[in-house]
Amino acid sequence: MTKLKKGSRCTICKAKGEKEKAVVFLPHHRLALCKKHFVEWFEKRVEKTIKEFKMFSKKDRILVAVSGGKDSLSLWNALNNLGYEADGFYIDLGIDQYSEDSKKLSIEFSKKIGRNLYIVDLKEEIASIPVINSSTNRPACSACGTVKRYYMNKYAKQLGYNIIATGHNLDDEAAVLFGNTLHWDINYLKKQYPVLREEGGFIRKVKPLCKITEKESALYAFFNNIEYIEYECPFSEGASSIEYKELLSQLEEKHPGTKLKFYADFLRKMYPILKEYERKEQEEIKICKICGEPSFNDICSVCRLKGIIEKASTNN
Ligand code: AMP
Ligand code: ZN
Ligand code: ZN
């Protein structure tokens, strides 16, 4: 991405007989692009991914899970430009300045594109992430992921949306795939597909940026003047996925295309085999006895978490 040669021309402009200078070089696609053609390329690639995995159509009502970061805001912008019905959903995790800043940026962006943004305050639903973190011994990111998935699903259904779209990008997916492969975690690997189908009270979840790198989504945000939160969540420090991302980026630097090939070949060659395995070992979806939401156990993980937090608060 950084190795743009001085004076390079945009590949697409050149083919049209124009002489626009390239501002971006995508070595794994062998493309040098001007600003206009990079933005076009990005949106076309998102559209192609949506079609390739049959994620949704113009008739669907999509709720974009918005964190205030570059990926989810770029995704929302691209879906809006492509003509999809997409509103936003932000969960205020109560992580001090990080949540304040990311909420403000999400609200401002929703106003800019003129779409609804629903905001759910985790403090009112269960407890803030710092409180959850101090009441349990689960890693913060794992508890945070559980509550985010639960409330996104619950509210998307209540608000009448049939699709949840998240901003997970290629770097995220390749890093998770790397970790799951390192541990041969079949139960996670068999779920690592960019579309999770609707079933038993879970609505369809999709990742339209799964073939877009982190750098590409940052550039798309930059070229579209999208203001996003530039620092990481303070709780994510030391997460193993960050280490995996660094390792994969080192490989990518030497061998452009490694990340995409690793992930795309998994989907093409390995996932169909795992899907067969899934059919035989399918977990039964139940209904949580406390809240009525779908769950793989009699009591869902959020209701269990609530119990742990209540216990911790009465002990203090
Ligand atoms: P992360 O787990 O922080 O890497 O985020 C992955 C994706 O989850 C983002 O691209 C968003 O789509 C979604 N997400 C993360 N944080 C939030 C939040 N606070 N509210 C709504 N969606 C979120
Ligand atoms: Zn061009
Ligand atoms: Zn429950």
mmCIF file of all heavy atoms in Angstrom, residues 15-35:
data_model
loop_
_atom_site.group_PDB
_atom_site.id
_atom_site.type_symbol
_atom_site.label_atom_id
_atom_site.label_comp_id
_atom_site.label_asym_id
_atom_site.label_seq_id
_atom_site.Cartn_x
_atom_site.Cartn_y
_atom_site.Cartn_z
ATOM 1 N N ALA A 15 -6.268 3.299 -18.729
ATOM 2 C CA ALA A 15 -6.997 2.474 -19.703
ATOM 3 C C ALA A 15 -7.996 3.320 -20.495
ATOM 4 O O ALA A 15 -8.370 2.977 -21.615
ATOM 5 C CB ALA A 15 -7.712 1.344 -18.982
ATOM 6 N N LYS A 16 -8.442 4.437 -19.886
ATOM 7 C CA LYS A 16 -9.403 5.308 -20.576
ATOM 8 C C LYS A 16 -8.718 6.425 -21.338
ATOM 9 O O LYS A 16 -9.369 7.369 -21.798
ATOM 10 C CB LYS A 16 -10.336 5.942 -19.529
ATOM 11 C CG LYS A 16 -11.287 4.969 -18.874
ATOM 12 C CD LYS A 16 -12.187 5.735 -17.918
ATOM 13 C CE LYS A 16 -13.216 4.827 -17.307
ATOM 14 N NZ LYS A 16 -13.885 5.460 -16.190
ATOM 15 N N GLY A 17 -7.378 6.391 -21.342
ATOM 16 C CA GLY A 17 -6.617 7.414 -22.054
ATOM 17 C C GLY A 17 -6.458 8.707 -21.265
ATOM 18 O O GLY A 17 -6.065 9.731 -21.818
ATOM 19 N N GLU A 18 -6.779 8.644 -19.946
ATOM 20 C CA GLU A 18 -6.586 9.848 -19.112
ATOM 21 C C GLU A 18 -5.292 9.700 -18.333
ATOM 22 O O GLU A 18 -4.720 8.610 -18.268
ATOM 23 C CB GLU A 18 -7.779 10.014 -18.165
ATOM 24 C CG GLU A 18 -9.051 10.389 -18.903
ATOM 25 C CD GLU A 18 -10.319 10.071 -18.114
ATOM 26 O OE1 GLU A 18 -10.223 9.945 -16.886
ATOM 27 O OE2 GLU A 18 -11.377 9.938 -18.749
ATOM 28 N N LYS A 19 -4.866 10.825 -17.698
ATOM 29 C CA LYS A 19 -3.531 10.763 -17.086
ATOM 30 C C LYS A 19 -3.527 11.060 -15.592
ATOM 31 O O LYS A 19 -2.540 11.577 -15.081
ATOM 32 C CB LYS A 19 -2.619 11.755 -17.808
ATOM 33 C CG LYS A 19 -2.127 11.223 -19.137
ATOM 34 C CD LYS A 19 -1.056 12.106 -19.677
ATOM 35 C CE LYS A 19 -0.515 11.562 -20.995
ATOM 36 N NZ LYS A 19 0.225 12.576 -21.718
ATOM 37 N N GLU A 20 -4.624 10.744 -14.911
ATOM 38 C CA GLU A 20 -4.691 11.065 -13.473
ATOM 39 C C GLU A 20 -3.609 10.309 -12.700
ATOM 40 O O GLU A 20 -3.352 9.134 -12.949
ATOM 41 C CB GLU A 20 -6.080 10.663 -12.953
ATOM 42 C CG GLU A 20 -6.439 11.203 -11.590
ATOM 43 C CD GLU A 20 -6.593 12.720 -11.553
ATOM 44 O OE1 GLU A 20 -7.128 13.301 -12.529
ATOM 45 O OE2 GLU A 20 -6.165 13.305 -10.559
ATOM 46 N N LYS A 21 -2.993 11.021 -11.722
ATOM 47 C CA LYS A 21 -1.967 10.380 -10.882
ATOM 48 C C LYS A 21 -2.606 9.431 -9.880
ATOM 49 O O LYS A 21 -3.683 9.709 -9.362
ATOM 50 C CB LYS A 21 -1.215 11.463 -10.105
ATOM 51 C CG LYS A 21 0.042 11.913 -10.788
ATOM 52 C CD LYS A 21 0.914 12.665 -9.815
ATOM 53 C CE LYS A 21 2.031 13.349 -10.581
ATOM 54 N NZ LYS A 21 2.418 14.604 -9.995
ATOM 55 N N ALA A 22 -1.914 8.331 -9.603
ATOM 56 C CA ALA A 22 -2.415 7.384 -8.592
ATOM 57 C C ALA A 22 -2.062 7.903 -7.200
ATOM 58 O O ALA A 22 -1.010 8.517 -7.015
ATOM 59 C CB ALA A 22 -1.799 6.018 -8.807
ATOM 60 N N VAL A 23 -2.961 7.685 -6.243
ATOM 61 C CA VAL A 23 -2.660 8.068 -4.853
ATOM 62 C C VAL A 23 -2.584 6.829 -3.961
ATOM 63 O O VAL A 23 -2.201 6.906 -2.807
ATOM 64 C CB VAL A 23 -3.711 9.058 -4.283
ATOM 65 C CG1 VAL A 23 -3.552 10.430 -4.911
ATOM 66 C CG2 VAL A 23 -5.127 8.553 -4.472
ATOM 67 N N VAL A 24 -2.996 5.695 -4.492
ATOM 68 C CA VAL A 24 -3.009 4.444 -3.731
ATOM 69 C C VAL A 24 -2.433 3.335 -4.591
ATOM 70 O O VAL A 24 -2.720 3.273 -5.781
ATOM 71 C CB VAL A 24 -4.473 4.015 -3.408
ATOM 72 C CG1 VAL A 24 -4.489 2.815 -2.503
ATOM 73 C CG2 VAL A 24 -5.275 5.146 -2.844
ATOM 74 N N PHE A 25 -1.652 2.455 -3.951
ATOM 75 C CA PHE A 25 -1.175 1.274 -4.669
ATOM 76 C C PHE A 25 -1.636 0.040 -3.894
ATOM 77 O O PHE A 25 -1.401 -0.060 -2.686
ATOM 78 C CB PHE A 25 0.357 1.316 -4.780
ATOM 79 C CG PHE A 25 0.930 0.100 -5.458
ATOM 80 C CD1 PHE A 25 0.437 -0.331 -6.698
ATOM 81 C CD2 PHE A 25 1.963 -0.618 -4.867
ATOM 82 C CE1 PHE A 25 0.962 -1.449 -7.321
ATOM 83 C CE2 PHE A 25 2.493 -1.746 -5.490
ATOM 84 C CZ PHE A 25 1.988 -2.157 -6.717
ATOM 85 N N LEU A 26 -2.345 -0.859 -4.563
ATOM 86 C CA LEU A 26 -2.824 -2.083 -3.916
ATOM 87 C C LEU A 26 -2.030 -3.250 -4.502
ATOM 88 O O LEU A 26 -2.422 -3.817 -5.527
ATOM 89 C CB LEU A 26 -4.327 -2.283 -4.181
ATOM 90 C CG LEU A 26 -5.259 -1.113 -3.839
ATOM 91 C CD1 LEU A 26 -6.681 -1.397 -4.299
ATOM 92 C CD2 LEU A 26 -5.237 -0.823 -2.350
ATOM 93 N N PRO A 27 -0.880 -3.592 -3.878
ATOM 94 C CA PRO A 27 0.006 -4.588 -4.507
ATOM 95 C C PRO A 27 -0.664 -5.932 -4.727
ATOM 96 O O PRO A 27 -0.424 -6.578 -5.748
ATOM 97 C CB PRO A 27 1.175 -4.709 -3.515
ATOM 98 C CG PRO A 27 0.751 -4.039 -2.270
ATOM 99 C CD PRO A 27 -0.366 -3.102 -2.606
ATOM 100 N N HIS A 28 -1.551 -6.370 -3.777
ATOM 101 C CA HIS A 28 -2.150 -7.695 -3.934
ATOM 102 C C HIS A 28 -3.206 -7.724 -5.027
ATOM 103 O O HIS A 28 -3.662 -8.794 -5.419
ATOM 104 C CB HIS A 28 -2.681 -8.229 -2.597
ATOM 105 C CG HIS A 28 -3.665 -7.338 -1.912
ATOM 106 N ND1 HIS A 28 -3.348 -6.071 -1.493
ATOM 107 C CD2 HIS A 28 -4.954 -7.537 -1.561
ATOM 108 C CE1 HIS A 28 -4.407 -5.536 -0.917
ATOM 109 N NE2 HIS A 28 -5.398 -6.390 -0.956
ATOM 110 N N HIS A 29 -3.626 -6.555 -5.524
ATOM 111 C CA HIS A 29 -4.550 -6.536 -6.656
ATOM 112 C C HIS A 29 -3.855 -5.989 -7.907
ATOM 113 O O HIS A 29 -4.489 -5.811 -8.936
ATOM 114 C CB HIS A 29 -5.776 -5.671 -6.341
ATOM 115 C CG HIS A 29 -6.578 -6.171 -5.182
ATOM 116 N ND1 HIS A 29 -7.257 -7.360 -5.201
ATOM 117 C CD2 HIS A 29 -6.797 -5.655 -3.946
ATOM 118 C CE1 HIS A 29 -7.858 -7.550 -4.043
ATOM 119 N NE2 HIS A 29 -7.586 -6.534 -3.267
ATOM 120 N N ARG A 30 -2.573 -5.649 -7.767
ATOM 121 C CA ARG A 30 -1.771 -5.043 -8.837
ATOM 122 C C ARG A 30 -2.473 -3.821 -9.439
ATOM 123 O O ARG A 30 -2.604 -3.684 -10.647
ATOM 124 C CB ARG A 30 -1.459 -6.055 -9.945
ATOM 125 C CG ARG A 30 -0.575 -7.182 -9.455
ATOM 126 C CD ARG A 30 0.160 -7.848 -10.603
ATOM 127 N NE ARG A 30 0.947 -8.947 -10.106
ATOM 128 C CZ ARG A 30 0.504 -10.204 -10.006
ATOM 129 N NH1 ARG A 30 -0.722 -10.508 -10.374
ATOM 130 N NH2 ARG A 30 1.284 -11.157 -9.534
ATOM 131 N N LEU A 31 -2.947 -2.952 -8.537
ATOM 132 C CA LEU A 31 -3.678 -1.766 -8.987
ATOM 133 C C LEU A 31 -3.097 -0.501 -8.373
ATOM 134 O O LEU A 31 -2.833 -0.466 -7.166
ATOM 135 C CB LEU A 31 -5.144 -1.853 -8.536
ATOM 136 C CG LEU A 31 -6.137 -2.695 -9.320
ATOM 137 C CD1 LEU A 31 -7.484 -2.693 -8.604
ATOM 138 C CD2 LEU A 31 -6.295 -2.156 -10.741
ATOM 139 N N ALA A 32 -2.896 0.513 -9.200
ATOM 140 C CA ALA A 32 -2.563 1.849 -8.704
ATOM 141 C C ALA A 32 -3.783 2.700 -9.050
ATOM 142 O O ALA A 32 -4.247 2.661 -10.192
ATOM 143 C CB ALA A 32 -1.321 2.367 -9.404
ATOM 144 N N LEU A 33 -4.335 3.411 -8.061
ATOM 145 C CA LEU A 33 -5.602 4.110 -8.330
ATOM 146 C C LEU A 33 -5.596 5.564 -7.870
ATOM 147 O O LEU A 33 -4.956 5.916 -6.870
ATOM 148 C CB LEU A 33 -6.755 3.373 -7.622
ATOM 149 C CG LEU A 33 -7.031 1.933 -8.075
ATOM 150 C CD1 LEU A 33 -8.060 1.278 -7.152
ATOM 151 C CD2 LEU A 33 -7.530 1.899 -9.508
ATOM 152 N N CYS A 34 -6.359 6.384 -8.593
ATOM 153 C CA CYS A 34 -6.587 7.758 -8.151
ATOM 154 C C CYS A 34 -7.690 7.708 -7.091
ATOM 155 O O CYS A 34 -8.310 6.651 -6.891
ATOM 156 C CB CYS A 34 -7.007 8.634 -9.332
ATOM 157 S SG CYS A 34 -8.615 8.193 -10.022
ATOM 158 N N LYS A 35 -7.939 8.841 -6.439
ATOM 159 C CA LYS A 35 -8.914 8.870 -5.343
ATOM 160 C C LYS A 35 -10.297 8.388 -5.805
ATOM 161 O O LYS A 35 -10.911 7.515 -5.196
ATOM 162 C CB LYS A 35 -8.987 10.306 -4.816
ATOM 163 C CG LYS A 35 -9.959 10.524 -3.711
ATOM 164 C CD LYS A 35 -9.864 11.972 -3.232
ATOM 165 C CE LYS A 35 -11.150 12.371 -2.543
ATOM 166 N NZ LYS A 35 -11.123 13.758 -2.083
#
